[in-house]
Amino acid sequence: MAMTVAASSSVAVMIPRVSSTQCSTVPYLPPLPPRSFGRSSFTVPLKLVSGNGLQKVELMKTRASSSEETSTSIDTNELFNDLKEKWDGLENKTTVVIYGGGAIVAVWLSSILVGAINSVPLLPKFMELVGLGYTGWFVYRYLLFKSSRKELAEDIDSLKKKIAGTE
């Protein structure tokens, strides 16, 4: 008995080809209705079987929100004015520029380093294995038990205080 594959854009069905005069046991599947995404509302019908037949129930009805309903626009003039005020309030502008430039250079150099490591055979897989091992250790050390989660939260809080300068 040979098999034939009938494929369309959304469904692939295996239909057995029978060499004798027997009927096929594959049920008839009607084609799927076309999808329309351009509507402003979307309804999912659900058919329920009751005593007097099928009833159609709307399971979910949503409506696309228009731009008038939600106003989350950003005033660019206000944003630039805030940035200008903060920039004018800085005393050491050269230090900020140097740190910002250094951060950009560090990101650029790290991307070059990662690219070089990825070009070496077997080294990327080894680095993935090291990362997986470190992740397992971190979960075991800090996340598995309640007391160690408390310790991690305390360490994070003390680090926040150090960075903010309140400790």
Side-chain angles (χ1 to χ4, degrees):
M1 178 159 97
M3 297 292 273
T4 308
V5 176
S8 69
S9 63
S10 62
V11 179
V13 180
M14 297 289 289
I15 302 172
R17 192 177 348 159
V18 182
S19 58
S20 66
T21 59
Q22 297 175 351
C23 294
S24 175
T25 59
V26 176
Y28 170 72
L29 298 174
L32 296 174
R35 295 184 183 197
S36 172
F37 296 108
R39 295 181 181 172
S40 64
S41 65
F42 177 74
T43 305
V44 177
L46 176 67
K47 293 182 181 178
L48 297 175
V49 177
S50 65
N52 59 0
L54 292 176
Q55 293 179 345
K56 194 173 189 180
V57 178
E58 290 184 1
L59 178 64
M60 176 179 65
K61 189 169 188 175
T62 60
R63 189 169 163 219
S65 62
S66 64
S67 61
E68 295 128 23
E69 294 174 3
T70 59
S71 61
T72 58
S73 63
I74 298 173
D75 187 17
T76 56
N77 290 333
E78 183 181 337
L79 180 67
F80 285 127
N81 289 337
D82 288 343
L83 287 175
K84 185 179 178 189
E85 288 174 11
K86 288 182 181 183
W87 181 253
D88 291 339
L90 288 175
E91 294 176 10
N92 297 329
K93 293 178 184 175
T94 57
T95 306
V96 172
V97 171
I98 289 171
Y99 280 144
I104 291 171
V105 169
V107 168
W108 177 65
L109 286 176
S110 65
S111 70
I112 290 174
L113 181 67
V114 168
I117 288 174
N118 276 336
S119 67
V120 177
L122 294 179
L123 198 55
K125 296 296 180 188
F126 177 71
M127 297 301 267
E128 286 179 18
L129 186 62
V130 168
L132 185 63
Y134 181 77
T135 302
W137 173 83
F138 185 84
V139 166
Y140 175 75
R141 172 68 177 91
Y142 289 110
L143 301 178
L144 199 55
F145 304 109
K146 187 176 183 178
S147 61
S148 61
R149 286 193 298 267
K150 266 187 183 175
E151 180 185 345
L152 178 64
E154 290 170 0
D155 289 344
I156 290 173
D157 287 338
S158 69
L159 183 62
K160 284 180 187 178
K161 289 178 183 175
K162 282 182 185 177
I163 290 173
T166 59
E167 186 174 296

